[in-house]
Amino acid sequence: LDAFQEHELKISKMGFSTNKMHITADNDPALVEGKMKVYLDKRGHTVTKSVAYVHTDNPIIERFWQTIAAVARCLLMSSPLPLTFWPYAYSMASQLVNLRPHSFLGNQSPMQMTMALMSNAPRHPDLSALLPFGSTVFAYIYADADNADKLAARAVEGLYLGRAPKPHSHVVYVPAQGKVVIVHKPKSPDQDAKMAKCMSVSGLPTVLLTIGR
């Protein structure tokens, strides 16, 4: 429910109406029962349930999921991370697909089209921090000023998992600590070369390297 309300808010900020929307969903109880159903009824939204395993009932989103799954599979196969990191691979795959130009959009990306609808948004998405999924990065450690060793390391080595929701924030897995952390602008050796590799995996043209610089 929280994710759906956040989605509604984003749509309304772009100038679109969110009243009495028509939603096609599968039979997942989280989408058609409980608090979600009460909220949808209150907002005047209608829900159509698709038949299980019949992708033609909801072809647009099913085709999109197929594309996301294909990119996520490539990301996992080209990274040193195990399959248990599939949620992060799917998240980064969706980010890459939204940055990829599409002929249906006049060779613009979905992100460019979205930003064009927002008055204060830059003209192009910033790709300067784009890195391959699972690549080695170094994240800054915010040391405790009272207990920090002045000669101790100020960065930890990790594996890149994608961008976080907040601006300039990224998700990194730190193997030495066995945990996933949110960091500010992780650094990577040979960043330009890794950006080119990231784009080749996702289908993004390398000419976009200049955007956001």
Side-chain angles (χ1 to χ4, degrees), residues 153-205:
R154 288 293 181 265
V156 292
E157 183 176 340
L159 300 175
Y160 187 73
L161 299 180
R163 291 190 174 183
K166 291 186 177 180
H168 310 298
S169 298
H170 300 260
V171 186
V172 173
Y173 171 62
V174 183
Q177 301 176 4
K179 64 180 182 180
V180 175
V181 297
I182 306 296
V183 300
H184 178 75
K185 291 186 177 180
K187 303 298 181 182
S188 172
D190 305 321
Q191 185 148 336
D192 281 348
K194 289 189 175 183
M195 287 170 66
K197 177 185 175 183
C198 181
M199 291 176 174
S200 66
V201 170
S202 64
L204 282 166

Side-chain angles (χ1 to χ4, degrees), residues 16 18 43 54-55 62 64 72 80 83 108 115 126 146 213:
F16 295 102
T18 58
R43 293 279 292 147
V54 181
H55 68 275
E62 293 293 347
F64 180 76
L83 295 181
Q108 294 190 82
M115 296 172 78
D126 181 11
D146 296 328
R213 288 300 180 86

Side-chain angles (χ1 to χ4, degrees), residues 81-94:
L81 292 162
L83 295 181
T84 51
F85 283 80
W86 69 264
Y88 299 100
Y90 266 73
S91 177
M92 187 165 184
S94 67

Side-chain angles (χ1 to χ4, degrees), residues 105-154:
L105 301 176
N107 291 323
Q108 294 190 82
S109 69
M111 183 62 71
Q112 282 178 284
M113 298 292 288
T114 300
M115 296 172 78
L117 297 171
M118 303 172 69
S119 58
N120 296 324
R123 185 177 178 183
H124 298 290
D126 181 11
L127 305 182
S128 61
L130 192 62
L131 293 170
F133 183 78
S135 63
T136 299
V137 294
F138 294 89
Y140 179 74
I141 303 173
Y142 291 91
D144 184 345
D146 296 328
N147 301 315
D149 183 347
K150 292 183 178 180
L151 299 180
R154 288 293 181 265

Side-chain angles (χ1 to χ4, degrees), residues 3-151:
F4 181 78
Q5 290 175 326
E6 182 180 349
H7 181 64
E8 276 189 312
L9 182 60
K10 288 181 180 179
I11 293 175
S12 64
K13 286 183 177 179
M14 294 178 195
F16 295 102
S17 173
T18 58
N19 295 323
K20 297 182 178 180
M21 294 193 298
H22 181 79
I23 302 165
T24 303
D26 57 20
N27 293 305
D28 188 339
L31 300 175
V32 296
E33 297 179 4
K35 292 182 179 179
M36 187 68 172
K37 185 178 185 307
V38 173
Y39 179 78
L40 294 177
D41 290 343
K42 182 179 179 181
R43 293 279 292 147
H45 302 328
T46 57
V47 179
T48 299
K49 300 178 183 178
S50 60
V51 179
Y53 306 110
V54 181
H55 68 275
T56 53
D57 275 6
N58 201 7
I60 296 177
I61 191 61
E62 293 293 347
R63 182 65 181 84
F64 180 76
W65 274 116
Q66 183 183 29
T67 301
I68 293 295
V71 175
R73 193 179 302 114
C74 291
L75 293 176
L76 286 167
M77 291 174 66
S78 62
S79 79
L81 292 162
L83 295 181
T84 51
F85 283 80
W86 69 264
Y88 299 100
Y90 266 73
S91 177
M92 187 165 184
S94 67
Q95 296 173 32
L96 293 174
V97 170
N98 282 330
L99 289 169
R100 185 170 60 185
H102 198 288
S103 58
F104 181 77
L105 301 176
N107 291 323
Q108 294 190 82
S109 69
M111 183 62 71
Q112 282 178 284
M113 298 292 288
T114 300
M115 296 172 78
L117 297 171
M118 303 172 69
S119 58
N120 296 324
R123 185 177 178 183
H124 298 290
D126 181 11
L127 305 182
S128 61
L130 192 62
L131 293 170
F133 183 78
S135 63
T136 299
V137 294
F138 294 89
Y140 179 74
I141 303 173
Y142 291 91
D144 184 345
D146 296 328
N147 301 315
D149 183 347
K150 292 183 178 180
L151 299 180

